[in-house]
Amino acid sequence: METDAKATSVKTYGHVESIPLQDRNATGWDMTATWIGANANNGTWYIGGVIAAAGMYTASTTLIIVGVLSYVFLAMAGLMGYRTGLPAMALTRASFGLRGSFIPSIINVVQFIGWAAANTFIAAISISTIFNSILGWPAYGTAGGNTGLMVGIVIMSMLHLASISLGERSIRMIERVGIVLVIIFVVWESVVVFRNVSLSQILAWQPQAAVRLSSGSVVDILAAFNLAWVTAASDFTRFAKKERSATVMSFLGANIGLFWFAFIGLTATIATAIAMRSFDPNDSDPSTIAVKLGLGTIALLVIVITSTTANAVNLMAAGSALTNMWHHLKLNVSLWIVTLAATLVSFIPLWFANFLTDFTTFLNFIGMFLGPEIAVFLVDYFIVRHGKYDLAEFVKIDGKYWYNGGVNWLAILAWALGLFSYWALGYVAFIQQTIGVTFVAMAIAALSYYLLTLAKGNKAK
């Protein structure tokens, strides 16, 4: 595409590579395994433990509803990747402008480095626990316990560098192997949980009022967690051989991984609270739960492996976004950069009061920035453009997607209105406590963008 543009003496802006259909090699199983692996990890388990503070009924029903809705958006974004062969952030050039796409790209780089760091930190707790068990090092949370955690972060980072060494191919191999270990681990954990605590006890359990979460808070936590993957969907579906693999199998894989691991985190956390006669949301991480349930070192090692499978997807998404901003960077180089950056960020929680506070703050910012962005680029493709993009225009200066100086200010305005709505609705108690603010803010951003583009079109006529 860039070659054709140069041949006609058209000024171009950066390189965008579309994967031709005949060069794609990802099967339906690859897509399913990728998205199961993306969610079947310690971060999803931790989310399940966090929302346990709402009680089993509220947490589980909200988990299903938000998961299905969020991953409908994932399937839609996946379809965009399949039809165009373009990575996620390159696709935002059409809605935000060639230069305006820097905004979603920056958000993606930051959020996926943040997710990689969060998963690394949780996995490092497992490694430090192993060191405590085998070598007698101080456990995390006790005096001198940070040493084992820091060594764990370094070990996890080395595993991540290995997982992204061959780019998309090595990530696919990691997912294929990791998913088998995940299945074995979850079955094992399920047996242990229900051997110690009955389902009726778990359903009847309620958290103390001081730590109880409202349904609206659970919606916003889960929405932020799930929507992150929407902005990475086409980074993987662009390699899919068939449309069904890119959409249906991605939708199913993401939901299977989410429900599976969030439910096991949810039930394990409640089971532990019942067994220990106390509930502390700060102890929702899988390593703490595994130790309390007596699962042993093997379980901790599997937690480490699941972190590697999830972070392979996180790092791929961050690296892809980075290449959209710095066009001369090769993907493998970008992957190394974001992996090293995630390593440094992983140390940040060591200097704060507790990991849960940092994690929920991170989720809040993800929901605020990502929701409106997703609403804008989905409305642009499926409603404003009727599912059609002109790929030749994705690099042309003064072309269709150049807008005003490379920026579509209507998209920026709609995104900003959604962002402001998210913040303002947080002060509306009824919304904040019942349905949450994320999807309402997305609807406002979507409607704003549609009306703004419609008004511009009518004015032009």
Side-chain angles (χ1 to χ4, degrees), residues 33-46:
T34 293
W35 292 110
I36 290 178
N39 271 340
N41 60 74
N42 49 34
T44 311
W45 181 340
Y46 189 76

Side-chain angles (χ1 to χ4, degrees), residues 52-55 204-214 273-274 277-282:
W205 178 84
Q206 292 294 328
Q208 56 265 41
V211 296
R212 187 176 185 86
L213 288 176
S214 67
I274 294 171
R277 301 183 184 277
S278 66
F279 171 70
D280 182 356
N282 288 292

Side-chain angles (χ1 to χ4, degrees), residues 95 384-385 400 402-404 407-411 448-461:
S95 50
V384 176
R385 311 283 182 181
K400 183 186 296 186
W402 187 249
Y403 299 104
N404 186 358
V407 180
N408 182 5
W409 292 105
L410 296 184
S448 298
Y449 184 66
Y450 175 71
L451 293 177
L452 286 168
T453 54
L454 187 65
K456 182 181 179 182
N458 290 335
K459 184 177 180 180
K461 291 179 181 178

Side-chain angles (χ1 to χ4, degrees), residues 7 45 85 125 157 199 212 288 440:
W45 181 340
I125 295 175
S157 299
L199 180 59
R212 187 176 185 86
T288 300
V440 181

Side-chain angles (χ1 to χ4, degrees), residues 94-95 376-386 389 403 449:
S95 50
V376 169
F377 75 69
L378 290 180
V379 167
D380 183 77
Y381 182 75
F382 288 101
I383 298 178
V384 176
R385 311 283 182 181
H386 305 292
Y389 277 161
Y403 299 104
Y449 184 66

Side-chain angles (χ1 to χ4, degrees), residues 17-19 24 26 31 34-35 73-93 108 112 168 228-240 246-247 250 313 316-317 320-321 331 377-378 381-382 389 394:
E17 181 183 7
S18 174
I19 306 297
R24 303 179 191 181
M31 288 295 99
T34 293
W35 292 110
F73 297 144
L74 175 82
M76 294 171 69
L79 180 59
M80 293 171 66
Y82 173 80
R83 287 180 176 176
T84 63
L86 294 176
M89 292 300 99
L91 280 168
T92 62
R93 291 183 175 198
N108 249 30
F112 281 114
E168 187 268 340
W229 291 133
V230 178
T231 62
S234 63
D235 291 337
F236 299 91
T237 60
R238 64 196 289 241
F239 295 100
T247 54
S250 294
V313 181
M316 180 71 171
S320 179
L331 179 59
F377 75 69
L378 290 180
Y381 182 75
F382 288 101
Y389 277 161
F394 271 72

